[in-house]
Amino acid sequence: MSRYYLTTAIDYVNSRPHLGTAYEKVTADVIARYKRLAGFDVHFLMGNDEHSQNVFKKASEEGFHNQPVAYCDRMEEEFTSVWKALHCSYDDFIRTTQPRHKAAVQKLAQAAFDAGDIYEGVYEGWYCVSCEAFKPEKDLVDGKCPVHPTLTPEWIREKNFFFRLSKYRDRLIKHFEAHPSFLEPEIRRNEILRLLDSGLEDISMSRAGQSWGVPLPFDPDSVVYVWFDALINYATAVGYGTDDARFAQWWPADLHVIGKDITRFHTVFWPAMLWSAGVEAPRQVFGHGWLHYGGQRMSKSLGTSVDPMDAAAPKFAPDAGPDPIRLYLTKEISYGSDGDFTWERFEERYNVDLANNLGNLVSRVVSMADKYRSGRVAPAGDGGRLAGVAAASLERYRTAMDAFALHEGVAAAYQLVDAANVFIADSAPWKLAKDPANAARLDAVLFEAAEAVRVAAVLLRPVMPSSCDEILRRIGAPVTGAALRLDHARWQSAGDRATVQGPPMWPRSEPKEITVTEPAAPAPAPEAAAAPAPAADARIGIEDFLKVELKVAKVREATAMPKSKKLIRLLVDVGEAEPRTILAGIAEGYQPEQLVGKTIVIVANLKPRPMMGTESNGMVLAASGPGQPPILVAADDSLPPGTRVG
Ligand code: MSP
């Protein structure tokens, strides 16, 4: 089995994770799970970066005087509990204060020294403690670090050991040429190529007069500079300095997933450090974009930071677990670009993608299987049109995921979910069930729908592992959990399935709070008002309005009512197991054939009313001016049936 070694950046532990740092871990986890699904033997590494001055300072502020490691122990628990809550499936969690890491850092520093790539000098210049980076004057903006404009960089003059980075410029340029996908996406690669073009200076690799860090083997009074130290974690974790055989098995790393701000460290410093020590460069680096909150940089001090624990148990769906936020982060942001998060948008996507779309599809299929076939679906035929859609989705998914276009991969899976919803509406199993002559066709439709759900769940499992396992269980899939491979996403036309009913997986969230803007002081009434304002006592409160359930519906069938000039009989899809019949008083405005396919809005929670020998189950919204024929209130066609309006 081919190995795949995947890492994330290791986080500074001077504050808790926020949704931005979690974005990186979740998306890397999606890649790790996809690679496992694709049959690789994956080693997925995450960890904490502890030898930073800010961490040392924070430890003292938190009462851990001279005990920074004890503070880091506490932070390890905080970090790992967040990653576990988000279902990150890391195989190893490294900390830079661990003995294994000290051994690796000293080995690599010594090897670079022995290669003649380290020399003693004096650094005099600016240092930004928050970036933990030496800052050339030309990189400052108005004397401030552009990344941390509220802080003043420190001017330092100290003995430093320097690493001959300049020596590796030509080799780096050649490496980028020979391996065009070494750094993705392209925009990040171009940034680094420009940097290499402009020349490279040697870098400091040690700090003097500090105790927090790994001592240099050739000058124990100095410690290794935190970035030189941190990068080595990727080698440490697979045995560099402690287990040569293991290191030979797993190195070079296949992929480092990191933020766009730290590509220079990973694709310029890191390969040069490795080459100096006689070790191969990693195969690939992906620099993802940044997650913002409501268009602003995520920052605790600005109050724009989101706690990942809140996102993993959102108020609008407290029991849904981390899958909704995992889906949001993967589906809503084009991987590689910056993205945005707001609670409103998160809730909206939850309702559309999970409650109305996937969740509804699953419960519809399972409840029809239950109702018409006592929970057994049996293969019949080779699969109809959904088999073709599934094959195309799998192909598109695989191409996208292999290229780290995670958002495209999810879209490919949703293509199948959407097609399955349309297929059910078109095949109308509820009609087939009325005539025993259609039994074979009903069997085929139910199996085809259930098989499409199964394939979609296999494809979505890297993004939503626990929910997809639950879907697979409900749909009676023969294989589920970690045993799944991409081959299981191929259409299977064999094997009976026993479906299992369950409560809605993603109940629709109801608006809890609506901000009602207080009206301004009333304007003087115009002389001839077109319509008098409703009397104060005729107005309703928001709580009354919220009792009315308005929903998007698609008209599937429309027939004239022979004995009525006004009524048309509609069969509408409201995203439920079966479409509803509604008698609508719109015949003066429409011919029945004009209505089929329209996306309209209905009142969904009206008590059924008997009308002309039929039961009307809901009411359509239509507008009509005095003496004018009614015009239906239309909704956007992209809204799936059942979407709540209001
Ligand atoms: N300790 C260094 C990394 C060393 S790797 C050898 C570091 N730590 S960090 O805590 O500041 O950032 C950790 C990761 O989170 C980085 O990849 C960084 O780009 C990423 N992010 C920090 N804020 C982020 C967002 N708002 N959005 C997305 N990723 C973000 O840098």
Side-chain angles (χ1 to χ4, degrees):
M1 198 193 277
S2 306
R3 295 198 171 86
Y4 197 85
Y5 178 30
L6 163 73
T7 70
T8 62
I10 52 173
D11 295 356
Y12 293 130
V13 296
N14 47 313
S15 58
R16 279 173 53 76
H18 57 60
L19 198 59
T21 41
Y23 171 63
E24 173 175 297
K25 311 313 183 243
V26 166
T27 51
D29 184 64
V30 171
I31 298 173
R33 289 176 183 272
Y34 167 70
K35 291 289 175 187
R36 290 190 195 111
L37 187 69
F40 288 88
D41 176 13
V42 171
H43 189 67
F44 177 30
L45 174 72
M46 288 174 39
N48 282 349
D49 190 355
E50 301 179 336
H51 284 141
S52 142
Q53 289 177 55
N54 275 333
V55 171
F56 188 78
K57 199 163 134 240
K58 185 71 183 206
S60 298
E61 286 166 12
E62 294 284 306
F64 291 87
H65 302 288
N66 301 320
Q67 287 177 302
V69 175
Y71 166 78
C72 294
D73 290 346
R74 195 187 78 188
M75 293 310 278
E76 180 194 8
E77 273 172 36
E78 294 220 15
F79 274 74
T80 52
S81 63
V82 172
W83 306 145
K84 282 175 191 152
L86 289 169
H87 292 178
C88 291
S89 59
Y90 53 86
D91 299 293
D92 187 7
F93 195 85
I94 190 165
R95 295 178 47 185
T96 52
T97 50
Q98 288 167 338
R100 61 174 174 164
H101 185 58
K102 182 177 175 189
V105 171
Q106 293 195 322
K107 176 171 171 168
L108 198 138
Q110 187 65 51
F113 186 77
D114 294 344
D117 284 343
I118 289 180
Y119 61 92
E120 192 179 325
V122 171
Y123 176 79
E124 182 164 15
W126 299 106
Y127 189 84
C128 172
V129 179
S130 280
C131 290
E132 288 287 12
F134 302 88
K135 295 272 163 175
E137 185 88 40
K138 67 172 172 47
D139 288 358
L140 301 182
V141 177
D142 297 331
K144 302 279 171 74
C145 160
V147 189
H148 299 102
T150 54
L151 304 170
T152 308
E154 282 176 19
W155 179 263
I156 57 173
R157 181 185 155 80
E158 64 184 35
K159 177 178 97 172
N160 273 182
F161 285 88
F162 286 83
F163 173 69
R164 283 189 211 284
L165 185 64
S166 56
K167 174 177 152 185
Y168 291 95
R169 177 170 169 257
D170 291 348
R171 185 165 172 188
L172 281 162
I173 292 174
K174 284 200 189 104
H175 188 78
F176 270 86
E177 270 167 15
H179 304 93
S181 61
F182 174 53
L183 171 58
E184 301 267 17
E186 196 180 350
I187 179 176
R188 306 275 90 91
R189 179 164 65 246
N190 292 337
E191 280 166 9
I192 297 296
L193 289 176
R194 279 198 297 275
L195 177 94
L196 290 172
D197 251 7
S198 67
L200 278 186
E201 285 176 15
D202 294 346
I203 52 164
S204 284
M205 59 76 65
S206 73
R207 298 296 313 271
Q210 287 182 18
S211 58
W212 187 227
V214 178
L216 274 186
F218 42 85
D219 180 15
D221 290 339
S222 299
V223 294
V224 175
Y225 163 51
V226 63
W227 263 105
F228 201 92
D229 164 331
L231 289 161
I232 297 170
N233 89 86
Y234 305 127
T236 307
V238 287
Y240 185 75
T242 50
D243 185 342
D244 291 346
R246 184 153 182 261
F247 186 64
Q249 269 184 344
W250 285 100
W251 199 260
D254 292 278
L255 180 67
H256 295 319
V257 172
I258 53 156
K260 65 178 185 181
D261 54 323
I262 55 175
T263 49
R264 184 171 53 109
F265 294 100
H266 284 80
T267 61
V268 178
F269 295 11
W270 182 222
M273 288 164 60
L274 287 163
W275 290 334
S276 172
V279 179
E280 266 182 82
R283 292 206 172 94
Q284 204 173 10
V285 176
F286 189 91
H288 61 74
W290 275 47
L291 183 70
H292 299 285
Y293 175 66
Q296 281 181 291
R297 190 193 153 114
M298 227 175 254
S299 138
K300 247 188 204 147
S301 49
L302 295 174
T304 51
S305 158
V306 175
D307 189 329
M309 289 303 225
D310 293 341
K315 286 204 183 88
F316 57 80
D319 304 322
D323 286 348
I325 188 66
R326 289 177 62 102
L327 182 70
Y328 181 97
L329 295 176
T330 315
K331 183 169 184 280
E332 292 308 298
I333 302 162
S334 152
Y335 201 44
S337 307
D338 288 349
D340 198 37
F341 173 89
T342 60
W343 287 105
E344 294 74 23
R345 177 111 182 110
F346 180 28
E347 182 168 353
E348 183 189 313
R349 295 318 308 172
Y350 166 87
N351 279 326
V352 173
D353 294 330
L354 292 173
N356 292 337
N357 203 352
L358 182 59
N360 199 36
L361 174 67
V362 174
S363 63
R364 224 174 179 190
V365 170
V366 172
S367 66
M368 288 192 299
D370 203 59
K371 187 165 171 191
Y372 306 133
R373 291 292 179 265
S374 310
R376 291 211 79 81
V377 284
D382 289 338
R385 69 184 202 218
L386 285 185
V389 178
S393 290
L394 170 60
E395 203 45 45
R396 186 178 155 206
Y397 172 86
R398 195 199 291 263
T399 310
M401 298 299 278
D402 284 341
F404 308 123
L406 308 183
H407 55 290
E408 269 278 323
V410 179
Y414 262 83
Q415 186 184 356
L416 180 58
V417 173
D418 293 340
N421 270 320
V422 172
F423 170 77
I424 292 174
D426 291 352
S427 338
W430 45 91
K431 267 200 210 156
L432 298 173
K434 288 194 179 124
D435 184 352
N438 293 326
R441 174 72 192 136
L442 179 59
D443 281 340
V445 166
L446 291 178
F447 187 84
E448 186 165 344
E451 178 59 6
V453 171
R454 190 193 66 77
V455 172
V458 175
L459 300 182
L460 287 170
R461 193 174 182 275
V463 180
M464 300 194 287
S466 18
S467 311
C468 289
D469 282 347
E470 174 61 11
I471 294 174
L472 291 165
R473 189 185 72 83
R474 289 191 185 191
I475 218 78
V479 185
T480 172
L484 283 169
R485 292 291 168 267
L486 256 189
D487 271 352
H488 293 117
R490 294 192 188 290
W491 194 264
Q492 287 167 22
S493 314
D496 282 17
R497 318 272 163 83
T499 59
V500 185
Q501 289 260 36
M505 292 184 60
W506 297 287
R508 227 198 107 84
S509 83
E510 299 302 335
K512 303 262 173 332
E513 226 174 65
I514 292 189
T515 323
V516 183
T517 319
E518 284 298 321
E527 283 300 299
D537 52 9
R539 293 183 215 173
I540 59 166
I542 191 75
E543 63 289 349
D544 288 328
F545 174 71
L546 289 178
K547 286 183 197 153
V548 181
E549 235 180 49
L550 298 176
K551 285 192 172 177
V552 171
K554 299 245 186 225
V555 180
R556 298 295 173 203
E557 286 177 15
T559 33
M561 298 285 287
K563 288 190 196 133
S564 167
K565 276 196 197 135
K566 287 201 169 164
L567 291 177
I568 292 184
R569 185 175 185 279
L570 301 176
L571 201 61
V572 296
D573 182 354
V574 198
E576 296 159 338
E578 294 192 3
R580 298 176 176 213
T581 300
I582 297 182
L583 297 190
I586 51 173
E588 284 165 351
Y590 296 89
Q591 294 299 321
E593 55 276 16
Q594 289 176 281
L595 294 164
V596 176
K598 274 199 185 308
T599 307
I600 59 170
V601 178
I602 68 158
V603 179
N605 61 339
L606 269 189
K607 286 190 187 131
R609 280 190 304 162
M611 287 164 85
M612 303 189 73
T614 303
E615 192 178 74
S616 179
N617 203 347
M619 188 178 102
V620 303
L621 293 194
S624 45
Q628 300 293 315
I631 298 176
L632 283 166
V633 172
D636 195 279
D637 282 339
S638 67
L639 292 167
T643 306
R644 178 101 195 232
V645 179

